[in-house]
Amino acid sequence: MANPEHQEVLDSFDKVSVCLYRGGISLFSVSLLYLAVILSGIDESLLSHYPIALLLIAVSAAFSAGNVHVYSKFVRAAISWSAWIGILLMLSDSGFERIWLSLGFIFVTFSGIALKESFCFKVMGLKLVPMILALSVFLLWINQTQIASFFVGLSGLIIGYLSIAKWRMPLHFDIGNKANYQV
């Protein structure tokens, strides 16, 4: 776990990495809210925006998974590889028949990020995100999109709260102590 009292000297790569990670979290929040509106069925014309929402979710996963700062290489790999598998599944599902599966892998990534952040920085509601995202995937699998839209939106709000809290923190909070990372 990162020690916020430790202030590591960050180089340019570290700063870009932290900003991409935080940008991925922010984009994921907005993307979930966008997807929730689309899934709700409030406006039928928004169904054509479904691929755009999925693309934004995939980009947010790539940003965050590619730049996640976790000391344990096993945990870091599990978080990252879930995103890459989800993105590949999404790209191979042009008809959106199994989108619940690709979202499930991406949601594993952001569940890991939510748990990581909840242990490090005590942001309210983050420990609920993995359960809410898992419920969302289940509801999408059984084709209950309107109910899923509520939980997707709720996750988006909680992750949005995390995003705001993250951008208020100094960048070195995300890196922690570089000497503690397993390579």
Side-chain angles (χ1 to χ4, degrees), residues 146-160:
Q146 288 185 328
I147 300 169
S149 72
F150 171 77
F151 292 105
V152 168
L154 180 60
S155 297
L157 291 173
I158 296 170
I159 297 292

Side-chain angles (χ1 to χ4, degrees), residues 79 87 178 180:
I79 290 172
I87 291 168
K178 289 183 186 180
N180 291 340

Side-chain angles (χ1 to χ4, degrees), residues 7-160:
Q7 185 164 354
E8 190 71 55
V9 177
L10 304 182
D11 59 22
S12 296
F13 182 80
D14 293 329
K15 292 174 185 175
V16 169
S17 176
V18 170
C19 289
L20 285 172
Y21 171 73
R22 291 179 180 186
I25 292 172
S26 300
L27 182 58
F28 185 64
S29 169
V30 171
S31 302
L32 286 180
L33 294 171
Y34 187 34
L35 181 62
V37 170
I38 293 167
L39 292 175
S40 71
I42 292 172
D43 186 352
E44 293 284 324
S45 68
L46 289 177
L47 286 176
S48 64
H49 294 238
Y50 192 58
I52 297 168
L54 296 176
L55 174 66
L56 293 174
I57 288 172
V59 169
S60 69
F63 281 1
S64 291
N67 296 288
V68 67
H69 303 97
V70 178
Y71 292 149
S72 167
K73 64 182 173 185
F74 175 77
V75 174
R76 188 171 54 245
I79 290 172
S80 294
W81 277 98
S82 294
W84 305 129
I85 292 168
I87 291 168
L88 287 174
L89 287 171
M90 192 178 287
L91 290 172
S92 69
D93 187 18
S94 61
F96 305 125
E97 290 96 25
R98 297 176 318 275
I99 205 63
W100 59 270
L101 183 60
S102 54
L103 285 176
F105 277 98
I106 291 172
F107 287 178
V108 166
T109 294
F110 282 100
S111 293
I113 288 171
L115 289 175
K116 168 208 178 284
E117 296 298 342
S118 72
F119 290 124
C120 293
F121 301 113
K122 308 292 185 229
V123 175
M124 185 179 69
L126 281 179
K127 290 186 179 175
L128 297 175
V129 167
M131 292 179 285
I132 296 169
L133 289 175
L135 180 58
S136 300
V137 169
F138 175 73
L139 291 167
L140 289 171
W141 178 53
I142 64 171
N143 213 18
Q144 296 295 316
T145 55
Q146 288 185 328
I147 300 169
S149 72
F150 171 77
F151 292 105
V152 168
L154 180 60
S155 297
L157 291 173
I158 296 170
I159 297 292

